Amino acid sequence: MANKTLFNSLPGKLAPKADVVNEAGGTAYAFEARHALAQYAATGTLNGTFYATAQDQLETILALCDKVEPEFIARTALYARKHGYMKDLPALLCAVLSVKGPGLLAEVFDRVIDSPKMLRNFVQIMRSGVVGRKSLGSLPKRLICDWLDQRTDAQVFFGSVGNDPSLADIIKMVHPKPVSASRDALYGYLIGRPIDRDPLPDIVKQFEAYKSADNRRKVKTPDVPFQMLTGLELEDWEWKAIAHQAPWHATRMNLNTFQRHGVFKDKHAVRSVAKRLRDVELIRKARCFPYQLLTAYTMSDKLPHLVREALQDAMETALENVPEIHGRVIVCPDVSGSMHSAATGYRKGATSAVRCIDVAALVAAALLRKNPDTLVLPFESDVVTGKKARLNPRDSVMTNAKKLASLPCGGTNCSAPLRYLNQRQEQGDLVVYVSDNESWMDSPYYGRFGGHKATETMRQWELFKQRNTAAKMVCIDIQPYGHSQAKEREDITNVGGFSDQVFKLIAAVANGRSTKDHWIKQIEAMRL
């Protein structure tokens, strides 16, 4: 008889072997190059994370770009900007294309570099030399000149907000040819050249008149970007005027500033701000991350009730892609210690107050809101149970997200929810993980490379599938690492990002429309 110790049929034993060690020292499955690049593009901000430095990320991304076709780089840049709402990574990928695929750069430039901020990012990255050249080169200069020509005088003027490089610096680099007398005067004004002020665009004249006015109450507040006005010494009545005309994002970001300057003492101003915050079209146009609204709401305790309600209404709009799913949903938000790091990484003077755990909690709360029978299993070293972890599906997304984010934290054990389900013989149709995937507490001894066992998450999934043969799993990763605890296949989809687009992918998986590498196929379908 064969040795039963060696050949005993163990549940879950045929799960694929892990092939990489993650940043926390645990076993994992490495993404292939295209998937890894997409993961970095959808979650990376070139800031330091809990486990990796900004330089580590940059080197990894450039190495991945050497392994994939330029066409995929171009499509990834488009996807990351249009659907992931990212800024730094799409600009970096465009800079890479200036070397690896100049023709493709020309194809996607206007769609990726779609704002002055994106233009400054692109130029800054190009001049840094990280992609192999420090000069812009003739094609990028022509693309930038075309970009400027396609904007109105007012758009160019408004785009002058920001530095390192400023729009004036870029104009000096590319030497655009003015297409009108007003554009010639505007370029001269921006770069500090002596000019005849008569041809200047009216909005510039209004702004200059406002700046130099002895009594600004007698001068109409110019309709210019928020930052242009806040750079001046303003009185409270001027803050009120700004609050009436600030763009959607500026409104969201400066609610407490408005409160501090007495704006909300005026009931008309309160109604005006609340109306703007809940405006469906403005929310969609702003491409707002749902977690940004959660942050604003968390910091809004002292704001008028009408404004706080408007933030909740805005959240409902921002989460309109959350699907209603037939069957039982199980969502597993990671609440471990590493999830308390900044969602967009660390950078001196520019670290977001939003943590990874806030994003995970928001996804869980949103799925629960649309699917009241959802089982929410927050986890760290083990599943967190008890009264503190119980959520009421009738509570608002904001309330439940705050409750989850306040749970105690420990080490990371991604297999804990599946083990919990298996021990209780639970049924389920869709399992959704939201994590940084840096599981280490459940990793077996891996010895020499190549001798890894399957991850415990994968082994527990195989056990779960024995009872739930049609079940699917979606692993949402919100940090820029190139691996997962669950290997991509027909019943497992890995996706990166923290925009509302992840809900569309969850819907596709739940409705049986997904296939192996579904997310990558979505990126490859981007039109060049």
Side-chain angles (χ1 to χ4, degrees), residues 30 57 110 113 130 175 278 287 383 404 410 413 425 489 525:
Q57 289 182 52
D110 277 345
I113 309 302
V130 297
H175 304 292
R278 60 165 56 98
R287 295 187 289 188
V383 172
L404 282 172
N413 182 354
Q425 297 293 298
R489 62 187 198 186

Side-chain angles (χ1 to χ4, degrees), residues 105-403:
L105 174 62
E107 290 290 328
V108 303
F109 189 83
D110 277 345
R111 288 181 284 165
V112 178
I113 309 302
D114 58 1
S115 70
K117 167 65 174 172
M118 290 297 295
L119 183 66
R120 293 198 304 276
N121 285 352
F122 174 74
V123 172
Q124 180 185 4
I125 291 168
M126 288 289 292
R127 296 190 71 206
S128 72
V130 297
V131 299
R133 59 189 300 174
K134 285 196 172 184
S135 63
L136 286 176
S138 58
L139 176 63
K141 284 184 178 180
R142 177 171 63 80
L143 293 172
I144 293 171
C145 287
D146 291 344
W147 190 95
L148 291 167
D149 288 346
Q150 291 165 12
R151 268 70 188 171
T152 64
D153 287 344
Q155 288 173 327
V156 172
F157 177 55
F158 297 164
S160 65
V161 174
N163 295 297
D164 301 323
S166 65
L167 187 62
D169 295 329
I170 295 173
I171 290 170
K172 292 175 183 177
M173 293 177 208
V174 302
H175 304 292
K177 293 182 179 179
V179 293
S180 64
S182 64
R183 182 60 60 92
D184 185 38
L186 177 59
Y187 285 157
Y189 168 85
L190 292 176
I191 65 176
R193 186 185 69 204
I195 57 166
D196 177 3
R197 296 204 164 213
D198 286 340
L200 276 174
D202 289 341
I203 188 64
V204 181
K205 294 176 181 177
Q206 292 171 20
F207 179 64
E208 286 298 311
Y210 186 80
K211 282 170 57 180
S212 58
D214 292 331
N215 185 353
R216 289 186 188 146
R217 287 185 180 274
K218 297 181 178 180
V219 182
K220 180 182 177 182
T221 304
D223 187 9
V224 298
F226 178 83
Q227 297 92 327
M228 284 186 169
L229 295 175
T230 55
L232 309 174
E233 291 186 9
L234 302 176
E235 297 181 26
D236 285 356
W237 68 268
E238 290 175 293
W239 280 103
K240 189 184 300 183
I242 290 172
H244 279 292
Q245 64 189 43
W248 191 89
H249 266 305
T251 301
R252 170 187 64 82
M253 294 170 66
N254 289 279
L255 292 173
N256 286 310
T257 301
F258 294 155
Q259 173 82 353
R260 192 166 58 250
H261 287 281
V263 170
F264 295 138
K265 292 177 182 178
D266 183 333
K267 292 182 179 180
H268 178 61
V270 172
R271 289 193 295 269
S272 174
V273 167
K275 180 180 179 181
R276 186 179 315 122
L277 284 172
R278 60 165 56 98
D279 188 296
V280 173
E281 292 306 315
L282 289 179
I283 294 167
R284 291 171 180 163
K285 185 178 179 181
R287 295 187 289 188
C288 174
F289 288 118
Y291 74 74
Q292 292 173 321
L293 285 164
L294 175 62
T295 303
Y297 184 79
T298 302
M299 302 171 67
S300 68
D301 290 345
K302 297 180 181 180
L303 297 180
H305 182 67
L306 194 62
V307 173
R308 287 171 56 81
E309 283 189 336
L311 287 170
Q312 297 205 58
D313 291 341
M315 177 66 84
E316 296 298 327
T317 299
L319 294 173
E320 62 187 0
N321 287 330
V322 178
E324 293 183 11
I325 300 169
H326 297 292
R328 195 184 193 202
V329 181
I330 302 163
V331 59
C332 311
D334 183 352
V335 298
S336 65
S338 61
M339 292 289 286
H340 286 255
S341 61
T344 54
Y346 297 101
R347 183 189 301 177
K348 187 176 182 180
T351 299
S352 169
V354 181
R355 304 162 300 171
C356 295
I357 193 173
D358 298 319
V359 179
L362 181 60
V363 172
L367 286 170
L368 177 66
R369 180 67 180 274
K370 280 290 186 74
N371 304 274
D373 293 331
T374 294
L375 175 61
V376 179
L377 294 178
F379 72 93
E380 29 106 28
S381 57
D382 204 346
V383 172
V384 182
T385 58
K387 185 177 180 180
K388 288 184 178 180
R390 291 194 203 106
L391 304 182
N392 184 348
R394 293 189 177 185
D395 284 343
S396 71
V397 170
M398 300 287 200
T399 299
N400 280 331
K402 287 178 68 176
K403 189 172 184 178

Side-chain angles (χ1 to χ4, degrees), residues 23-55:
E23 284 78 1
T27 53
Y29 299 98
F31 292 138
E32 54 96 5
R34 292 174 308 156
H35 197 128
L37 181 62
Q39 176 67 33
Y40 276 86
T43 59
T45 55
L46 297 177
N47 293 336
T49 64
F50 191 86
Y51 289 106
T53 67
Q55 186 63 36

Side-chain angles (χ1 to χ4, degrees), residues 483-503:
H483 46 71
S484 176
Q485 289 296 298
K487 192 171 182 64
E488 185 86 7
R489 62 187 198 186
E490 293 295 330
D491 61 338
I492 299 174
T493 299
N494 287 285
V495 61
F498 26 70
S499 76
D500 62 343
Q501 293 298 309
V502 298
F503 293 115

